[in-house]
Amino acid sequence: MATIRDVAKVAGVSVATVSRVLNENGYVHEDTRKRVETAMEELNYSPNEVARSLYKKKSKLIGLLLPDITNPFFPQLARGVEDEIQKEGFRLLFGNSDEQPEKELDYIHTFVQNNVVGIISATNDRSDTNYKDLSIPVVFLDQTSKDYPSVYGDGREGGRTAAKEMVKRGSKRITILKGPAHIQPAQDRFQGALEYLSESNVDFYVMGTTSFAFEEAKKWAKELFETYPDTDGVLASNDIVATAVLHEALRLGKSIPKEVQIIGFDDIPQSSLLFPSLSTMRQPAYEMGKEAACLLIKLMRKEYVEQNHVEMPVTFIERETTREVEVNE
Ligand code: RIB
């Protein structure tokens, strides 16, 4: 593998000159820069990024923190972030916080020790104390924040729309499965659904849940039909829980959507493959990730930012767990 000395020899310059070209510091005549860059291409030379970042005290790395990538919603966020930063020559350093503040803080320390140039955090630690002393830009993703730049889906309107679409399709005894209290997006969508149903001429129940994880979702679904056996519509706070509700309803022999309608939230890729396929509220996760990356890169470059808080629309995706809209005679 070619070294910086090989590059200097081929370009006919000193190692120090090659270093100035690599680290973009100090004056280098344009002709000299071109000779060094040509030599690097000919020798297929790639600088030692760790050495470079230690020297410059910054790297090409961006830290991304997600709660848990076993939830299919979050890899879509990550993909949007990565596709955008790649275009600008940056690379991801990634971690799962598992909703544990100490693990989140540990990752932030790891990011700083690796000289990341910015952080995107999609975790649910609303204290944000972990971030206040950092000297690099931070963007919150899938989180609203008054103190930090953030990109998120319009949960409240999404909750309202889910409730409206279910009422339009004739459900009269609706159960709202409220998402975990520590997840603000889940509370926003619950409030939206609650507002709409409170104004509607239907009965509704509220059942609290404390996790979005697959392993607990089956428990919530079982508890739902044991507690509210007459429910004819379920508004789930995410697609994982909605999937478990569908599974349990079919296991109980219920006809979907004839007896029970189900609407989820997120529109993870798997939801369209269920049978019947899941009606849900689509959060533009990939686009949210791209938007957060764009925002962070502008902040890193100290460019003008038109909007520090970007709320992205959530849309109803009609599939087979909801009926046709009832046309009032
Ligand atoms: O499925 C995970 C949920 O938690 C998503 O709705 C996302 O908004 C996150 O907050």
Side-chain angles (χ1 to χ4, degrees):
M1 179 184 280
T3 68
I4 191 169
R5 293 187 191 291
D6 299 329
V7 172
K9 190 174 179 184
V10 168
V13 299
S14 69
V15 168
T17 300
V18 177
S19 177
R20 281 201 302 277
V21 170
L22 284 174
N23 295 306
E24 300 160 4
N25 71 330
Y27 173 72
V28 177
H29 191 281
E30 195 48 37
D31 293 348
T32 306
R33 179 185 304 282
K34 284 193 169 36
R35 288 210 320 274
V36 170
E37 287 170 350
T38 303
M40 283 197 276
E41 277 174 33
E42 285 171 3
L43 294 169
N44 195 24
Y45 171 76
S46 56
N48 178 319
E49 269 305 316
V50 174
R52 181 179 174 282
S53 71
L54 286 173
Y55 174 83
K56 287 179 69 72
K57 294 281 183 285
K58 66 176 188 176
S59 69
K60 288 282 190 185
L61 294 173
I62 286 175
L64 173 63
L65 256 181
L66 299 175
D68 176 10
I69 56 163
T70 61
N71 178 326
F73 174 79
F74 295 110
Q76 296 177 85
L77 290 182
R79 188 69 213 220
V81 171
E82 190 201 15
D83 284 355
E84 192 59 30
I85 68 165
Q86 281 266 359
K87 285 193 296 190
E88 303 292 336
F90 296 101
R91 296 295 179 269
L92 270 189
L93 201 52
F94 161 75
N96 284 296
S97 69
D98 290 336
E99 313 279 11
Q100 297 167 16
E102 58 281 356
K103 191 173 179 189
E104 180 164 355
L105 189 57
D106 179 59
Y107 261 114
I108 292 169
H109 290 156
T110 302
F111 290 161
V112 170
Q113 286 156 7
N114 282 274
N115 296 319
V116 299
V117 287
I119 292 177
I120 295 175
S121 176
T123 64
N124 293 295
D125 171 19
R126 294 208 303 278
S127 65
D128 70 36
T129 49
N130 290 340
Y131 300 90
K132 65 182 174 44
D133 297 328
L134 294 180
S135 60
I136 51 174
V138 176
V139 171
F140 282 0
L141 175 54
D142 183 42
Q143 289 298 323
T144 55
S145 163
K146 61 185 183 310
D147 302 321
Y148 286 86
S150 52
V151 178
Y152 48 92
D154 185 352
R156 197 177 200 99
E157 190 53 35
R160 281 188 68 86
T161 302
K164 182 173 70 177
E165 295 299 338
M166 184 161 280
V167 171
K168 273 167 58 176
R169 288 162 173 77
S171 287
K172 298 292 182 197
R173 296 176 306 284
I174 295 170
T175 302
I176 310 175
L177 279 178
K178 185 179 175 185
H182 68 286
I183 296 181
Q184 188 55 44
Q187 301 318 305
D188 295 341
R189 66 194 70 153
F190 166 68
Q191 285 303 326
L194 184 66
E195 280 166 13
Y196 186 86
L197 295 182
S198 302
E199 299 155 4
S200 305
N201 182 27
V202 298
D203 293 328
F204 65 93
Y205 318 110
V206 176
M207 190 178 122
T209 65
T210 57
S211 160
F212 273 147
F214 279 97
E215 53 273 13
E216 274 100 351
K218 287 181 85 169
K219 180 185 77 174
W220 307 129
K222 197 167 170 51
E223 185 180 321
L224 161 71
F225 287 114
E226 285 170 354
T227 313
Y228 306 112
D230 67 337
T231 196
D232 66 353
V234 180
L235 296 170
S237 191
N238 82 337
D239 281 5
I240 292 171
V241 174
T243 301
V245 168
L246 174 60
H247 179 88
E248 181 65 9
L250 294 172
R251 190 187 69 80
L252 292 170
K254 294 181 182 289
S255 169
I256 306 295
K258 185 169 177 289
E259 288 181 70
V260 182
Q261 296 190 95
I262 303 168
I263 296 179
F265 209 101
D266 287 344
D267 194 22
I268 57 177
Q270 293 82 344
S271 296
S272 63
L273 300 178
L274 297 174
F275 187 77
S277 55
L278 182 67
S279 297
T280 187
M281 299 306 297
R282 180 181 187 275
Q283 292 206 83
Y286 180 84
E287 295 81 1
M288 287 162 64
K290 276 177 78 78
E291 185 66 34
C294 283
L295 181 52
L296 181 72
I297 290 169
K298 282 181 180 168
L299 293 168
M300 284 159 35
R301 291 173 175 165
K302 296 183 173 35
E303 294 172 1
Y304 168 71
V305 169
E306 191 176 337
Q307 267 190 319
N308 248 345
H309 298 92
V310 182
E311 182 177 76
M312 299 184 81
V314 175
T315 48
F316 178 55
I317 306 298
E318 182 172 19
R319 295 196 180 105
E320 297 168 328
T321 55
T322 46
R323 299 189 289 263
E324 295 298 317
V325 175
E326 290 189 347
V327 179
N328 296 325
E329 281 73 37

